[in-house]
Amino acid sequence: MSSESEKDKERLIQAAKVFFFHMKDLTSFINTFTEFFNHNMNTQILSIAVKEDSNIKDFFEQMLKIFKEMQSVVEAMHSKIQKEPLYSSVAKAMCSVAEKCTHVELQHSAKKMLKNVQTPVIVSMLKSTNVLGSLESSLSLLMKYPIMSLQLCDFYREDTKEPSETTTSGKTPSSDLSKTTAIDTLKKLQDALKSENASNLLESAADHLEQIVRVMQRTLESLQRAIKTLETDISL
């Protein structure tokens, strides 16, 4: 294999590994976001379970379902909030607290007041920034790439480790298996990402997967910013 082909092969392998961990990070961040959303919006949206033998399409469909559910909740709450200005809700909540006398009642009422104010703030933020719509668009874009039929384990196997012991021949017990797995993975990726007009299939596949990874990176960054912004707004 030429040096150029070897370079393209390494690019494809590295991009596949990055994709694998981006998928895990994306799942983790979405679950964190979902937990935050459920806690503050009194919803029960289900989180995502990472299964390496699941198709990539299944992951993205679950993620899209979550964001669409959130969008629906935000739209409904925003319509309700529009009927009553935020300052009016705050004033009513504070008056309710002022009417309480005992310390225990005051603590309970204060928490309820903060909850009543907190939810409209989150709804307004999500609505004004359109973060859910942006995330939904990013996932919809990713679903157009020709890797949806592949499984997460087709990109990388996290449990693959170099054994500490060697055989009498000097080879590791799983060396042949690892090579077979690597070749099989490369072939699956190359077939899924092949371009009819490409003269170099390895290079084309590496280019495509690196592009997908860049889109995923932007999606991850958007989700991280959304979580951080919401947490900051709530603390303030």
Side-chain angles (χ1 to χ4, degrees):
M1 184 177 287
S2 68
S3 59
E4 284 297 317
S5 296
E6 191 65 34
K7 181 180 177 182
D8 292 329
K9 175 184 170 183
E10 289 302 318
R11 283 175 56 212
L12 184 56
I13 291 173
Q14 182 60 28
K17 185 176 179 180
V18 173
F19 179 89
F20 177 91
F21 285 107
H22 273 3
M23 282 296 295
K24 290 215 162 187
D25 287 342
L26 190 57
T27 302
S28 176
F29 286 137
I30 287 177
N31 285 342
T32 298
F33 191 79
T34 302
E35 184 181 349
F36 178 91
F37 193 92
N38 285 336
H39 177 73
N40 291 284
M41 300 296 192
N42 197 29
T43 52
Q44 294 182 333
I45 298 173
L46 298 178
S47 58
I48 303 173
V50 179
K51 296 180 181 178
E52 294 183 11
D53 59 347
S54 296
N55 287 350
I56 300 301
K57 184 179 180 181
D58 292 338
F59 278 108
F60 285 119
E61 284 181 343
Q62 289 180 63
M63 293 174 188
L64 278 172
K65 183 181 178 183
I66 286 174
F67 289 134
K68 285 179 179 178
E69 282 187 59
M70 289 181 177
Q71 282 270 51
S72 179
V73 171
V74 169
E75 289 295 335
M77 287 190 172
H78 186 259
S79 297
K80 184 179 179 181
I81 291 169
Q82 289 295 95
K83 297 176 182 178
E84 184 175 21
L86 179 60
Y87 67 83
S88 178
S89 299
V90 175
K92 285 182 179 179
M94 291 185 71
C95 288
S96 176
V97 171
E99 290 172 359
K100 303 298 181 182
C101 298
T102 68
H103 180 65
V104 174
E105 288 177 326
L106 189 61
Q107 281 187 323
H108 176 74
S109 298
K111 288 180 180 178
K112 186 177 180 181
M113 180 199 75
L114 289 174
K115 179 76 174 178
N116 290 339
V117 175
Q118 183 173 296
T119 301
V121 169
I122 296 172
V123 170
S124 298
M125 181 269 179
L126 291 173
K127 181 70 176 175
S128 62
T129 58
N130 192 34
V131 63
L132 293 174
S134 298
L135 290 168
E136 189 178 331
S137 297
S138 295
L139 291 178
S140 297
L141 174 61
L142 284 165
M143 287 190 73
K144 293 180 181 179
Y145 288 102
I147 56 170
M148 293 297 110
S149 61
L150 295 179
Q151 296 179 331
L152 187 56
C153 58
D154 289 331
F155 292 82
Y156 181 74
R157 294 182 184 273
E158 198 170 14
D159 58 352
T160 301
K161 296 178 182 178
E162 291 296 329
S164 57
E165 297 179 0
T166 59
T167 62
T168 53
S169 63
K171 292 183 179 180
T172 59
S174 63
S175 59
D176 292 336
L177 179 62
S178 297
K179 287 178 182 178
T180 303
T181 302
I183 292 171
D184 185 48
T185 297
L186 282 171
K187 189 175 187 312
K188 284 182 179 179
L189 291 171
Q190 192 172 312
D191 288 344
L193 295 162
K194 67 182 178 182
S195 176
E196 294 180 3
N197 301 321
S199 57
N200 185 331
L201 295 180
L202 267 175
E203 181 183 29
S204 177
D207 288 342
H208 274 84
L209 193 51
E210 284 175 349
Q211 183 180 0
I212 294 170
V213 166
R214 284 193 291 270
V215 175
M216 289 190 71
Q217 180 63 38
R218 291 196 294 270
T219 305
L220 275 170
E221 289 171 354
S222 296
L223 193 51
Q224 281 179 293
R225 283 196 300 270
I227 293 171
K228 186 176 181 180
T229 301
L230 285 170
E231 289 176 342
T232 302
D233 284 353
I234 293 305
S235 66
L236 288 172

